[in-house]
Amino acid sequence: MLLTLGFLCFFSFMAGLIDAAVGGGGLIQTPALFNFLPQYSAATLFGTNKMSSAVGTLSATRSYLQRVRLPWKLVIPAAITAFIMSFAGAATVNAIPKSVIRPLVLVLLVLMAMYTLWKKDFGKLHKPVTIGRREMVVGMAIGGAIGFYDGLFGPGTGSFLIFLFIRFFAFDFLHASAAAKVVNLTTNVAALAFFIPTGNVLFQYAIPMAGFNVLGAMTGSWVAMKKGAGFVRILFLLLTTVLIGKLAWDMLQPWLHG
C-alpha cells in the first residue's frame, strides 16, 4: 500500500500543478487511480479523485484571488448553477456509458484547439465585457453545462471553462484560469456531496493525495501568475493536445484489441 500511495501522491502533485495553471489535472490523476487501484469501482475512484482535486483546487483558487480581480456578478451565478448541475451529473455517473460521451468531447476539444491556434491574440488581452443580464445568463448556462459534464465525466473541465470565459467574456488566460478555478471548486464540492454519503471515497488514499495536490496547486498557480497569460496559453494548447490524444487512444483501444 505504501508504494502505491507514493506513486499516487507523485501523480497528485503533478495533477495539482497542471490543474492550477490550465485545468486538466484529472487527465493525470484519474488514470493513475484506475491503474494503481483497479480492484475498486469506477464511482469510488472518481470520488477519491474528486476529494483530492477539490482540496488542491481550493488552494489554487485562494492563490489566484489574492492576485487577480474577478467580476463576481458573473462568476457567482455561474458557480451556483455549476454546483447544482455537477451534483446531477455525479448522480447519473453510471447511467450514461462513457463510449457515448468520448466522441463528442473529442470533437469539441479539437475545435477548441483549432480556434485558439487560429486566433493568435485569443486570451492574450484582458478586456472584459460589461456584465449585464445577458452575460449573467450566458455565464449560468456555461456553469450548468460544464458542471453537469464535470460531475458525469470530467476530463477537460478546466480547459472548457477557460476557453468559454475567454470566448464569451474577453478575459485573458490568467483571469479565465482564476474564474475557472472558482467554478471548478464548486463542481468538485457538489460531486463530493454525492460521492461521500454513498461511500465512494477512499480516505486512506484521498487525504495524503490531497496534501500533495495542494503543493502542486501552489506551485502551478505561482508559475502561471509569474509567467503571465502568454505562457498559460501555450500550456493550455499543450494540455488540450494531450487530452485529444488520450481520448482518441481510449476510443481506439477496442478496435486494436478487437
Side-chain angles (χ1 to χ4, degrees):
M1 177 182 167
L2 279 177
L3 187 61
T4 298
L5 184 59
F7 278 115
L8 287 172
C9 285
F10 167 76
F11 284 110
S12 192
F13 173 85
M14 294 306 297
L17 192 154
I18 294 296
D19 199 67
V22 286
L27 176 64
I28 298 167
Q29 193 166 263
T30 306
L33 282 162
F34 274 84
N35 285 331
F36 287 104
L37 301 173
Q39 67 272 34
Y40 292 99
S41 70
T44 298
L45 296 178
F46 279 126
T48 304
N49 174 64
K50 286 295 178 195
M51 179 77 183
S52 171
S53 57
V55 179
T57 303
L58 175 62
S59 172
T61 303
R62 182 173 168 273
S63 297
Y64 274 114
L65 295 184
Q66 287 174 339
R67 299 278 296 275
V68 174
R69 292 187 65 182
L70 291 176
W72 293 109
K73 190 177 174 183
L74 168 71
V75 175
I76 289 176
I80 291 170
T81 315
F83 179 93
I84 295 165
M85 294 306 292
S86 179
F87 184 89
T92 57
V93 75
N94 292 319
I96 303 172
K98 301 291 183 286
S99 57
V100 174
I101 305 168
R102 277 199 188 105
L104 176 62
V105 174
L106 184 62
V107 170
L108 290 173
L109 283 167
V110 170
L111 291 173
M112 195 167 74
M114 288 171 62
Y115 186 88
T116 306
L117 274 170
W118 176 59
K119 287 189 73 84
K120 301 295 182 188
D121 60 343
F122 186 73
K124 285 190 174 179
L125 301 172
H126 186 62
K127 294 182 177 178
V129 297
T130 303
I131 307 302
R133 187 175 296 175
R134 178 183 172 278
E135 286 72 25
M136 287 172 67
V137 170
V138 171
M140 289 171 71
I142 289 170
I146 302 300
F148 184 80
Y149 168 75
D150 190 42
L152 179 67
F153 189 51
T157 295
S159 302
F160 282 130
L161 284 169
I162 290 168
F163 178 84
L164 292 169
F165 273 115
I166 296 170
R167 174 65 184 81
F168 288 100
F169 309 115
F171 286 16
D172 65 6
F173 268 99
L174 198 60
H175 285 77
S177 290
K181 280 285 148 288
V182 175
V183 176
N184 211 174
L185 177 62
T186 63
T187 65
N188 284 340
V189 171
L192 282 175
F194 172 79
F195 286 125
I196 292 175
T198 54
N200 283 308
V201 176
L202 301 169
F203 288 99
Q204 70 271 33
Y205 292 103
I207 292 171
M209 286 173 68
F212 279 86
N213 201 284
V214 167
L215 290 174
M218 289 168 66
T219 307
S221 53
W222 179 81
V223 169
M225 288 182 283
K226 190 85 172 172
K227 299 287 186 180
F231 178 76
V232 177
R233 180 181 187 269
I234 294 167
L235 276 183
F236 174 83
L237 283 167
L238 285 173
L239 178 83
T240 305
T241 304
V242 172
L243 192 53
I244 289 166
K246 169 73 170 62
L247 286 170
W249 177 254
D250 288 347
M251 287 169 61
L252 280 171
Q253 285 299 308
W255 294 85
L256 293 173
H257 296 292

